[in-house]
């Protein structure tokens, strides 16, 4: 998105001015908007996972815990590694096993397409998206088929036996 620079003088007692970049909502780069969704979604899920993991980690016990994070990398004392691995599994189960989350995201994306694009650009029956900018229609994935492929009686305890693909230091 394009931005405009605005200079402001916030204080009467000082001659100092500040430059602010203000987003110009009339100048969207539509190509960037289209390609930005997935990376932004994945980044927000990573951030949500980290926030939930830290919440679980600090609630686990009352002793002082050291943890360092950089994006999706974690560093902790060696004696806390097993605890962290188990909490990480719990975090992913908590976030990604909830069908309601995926269904809400699915419906929100469909609603956004219907409200922001031309009338008739989205076929609800075939789940195809039409636009003058596309040579062929885009097939919108049916999340209900994806959710239907996971048995509802999945035993998440099987994750306790899963190995952690990490490196202990």
């Amino acid at each position: 998105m394009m931005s405009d620079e605005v200079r402001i003088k916030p204080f009467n007692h000082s001659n100092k001015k500040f430059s602010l970049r203000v987003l110009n909502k009339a100048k969207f780069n539509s190509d960037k908007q289209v390609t930005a969704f997935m990376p932004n979604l994945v980044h927000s899920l990573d951030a949500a996972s980290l926030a939930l993991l830290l919440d679980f980690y600090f609630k686990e016990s009352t002793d002082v815990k050291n943890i360092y994070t950089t994006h999706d990398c974690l560093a902790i004392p060696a004696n806390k590694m097993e605890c962290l691995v188990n909490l990480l599994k719990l975090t992913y189960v908590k976030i990604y096993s909830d069908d309601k989350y995926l269904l809400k995201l699915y419906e929100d994306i469909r609603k956004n397409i219907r409200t922001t694009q031309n009338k008739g650009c989205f076929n609800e029956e075939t789940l195809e998206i039409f636009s003058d900018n596309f040579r062929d229609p885009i097939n919108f994935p049916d999340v209900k088929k994806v959710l239907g492929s996971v048995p509802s009686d999945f035993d998440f305890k099987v994750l306790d036996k899963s190995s952690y693909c990490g490196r202990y230091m």
Side-chain angles (χ1 to χ4, degrees):
M1 193 179 308
M2 304 297 234
S3 61
D4 297 320
E5 187 173 313
V6 177
R7 295 194 48 85
I8 62 169
K9 183 181 164 193
F11 306 109
N12 289 333
H13 65 276
S14 172
N15 288 329
K16 290 191 177 191
K17 292 184 179 180
F18 297 94
S19 293
L20 299 175
R21 293 214 176 265
V22 179
L23 296 178
N24 185 335
K25 293 182 181 179
K27 296 180 183 177
F28 279 101
N29 182 331
S30 59
D31 291 337
K32 284 185 178 180
Q33 294 295 314
V34 170
T35 59
F37 175 73
M38 274 317 257
N40 287 338
L41 174 64
V42 169
H43 184 69
S44 68
L45 291 172
D46 282 348
S49 299
L50 180 59
L52 189 57
L53 174 69
L54 291 173
D55 186 50
F56 287 154
Y57 186 71
F58 287 111
K59 285 181 180 175
E60 183 68 19
S61 67
T62 57
D63 64 336
V64 176
K65 296 179 180 157
N66 295 319
I67 187 165
Y68 304 95
T69 65
T70 303
H71 188 58
D72 54 1
C73 297
L74 302 165
I76 61 168
N79 66 342
K80 297 291 184 185
M81 184 56 107
E82 187 176 345
C83 172
L84 182 71
V85 169
N86 290 330
L87 292 175
L88 189 58
K89 290 176 188 178
L90 176 66
T91 299
Y92 289 139
V93 167
K94 179 98 171 143
I95 289 177
Y96 299 110
S97 66
D98 185 0
D99 292 354
K100 291 176 188 172
Y101 164 76
L102 291 175
L103 288 171
K104 174 128 178 59
L105 177 64
Y106 177 72
E107 290 303 325
D108 286 348
I109 292 171
R110 290 173 62 181
K111 180 181 177 185
N112 185 276
I113 291 169
R114 287 190 302 267
T115 59
T116 61
Q117 302 303 313
N118 299 337
K119 298 276 185 208
C121 73
F122 187 69
N123 185 323
E124 292 287 341
E125 292 178 21
T126 64
L127 299 178
E128 291 179 322
I129 304 169
F130 301 92
S131 172
D132 294 338
N133 299 328
F134 309 148
R135 187 180 66 197
D136 296 317
I138 295 175
N139 294 318
F140 190 77
D142 187 354
V143 76
K144 293 174 185 171
K145 289 181 182 176
V146 173
L147 292 174
S149 67
V150 177
S152 60
D153 60 348
F154 180 75
D155 183 9
F156 287 100
K157 291 179 185 172
V158 73
L159 293 175
D160 288 339
K161 298 174 188 164
S162 68
S163 62
Y164 179 71
C165 299
R167 187 172 139 186
Y168 295 93
M169 297 203 186

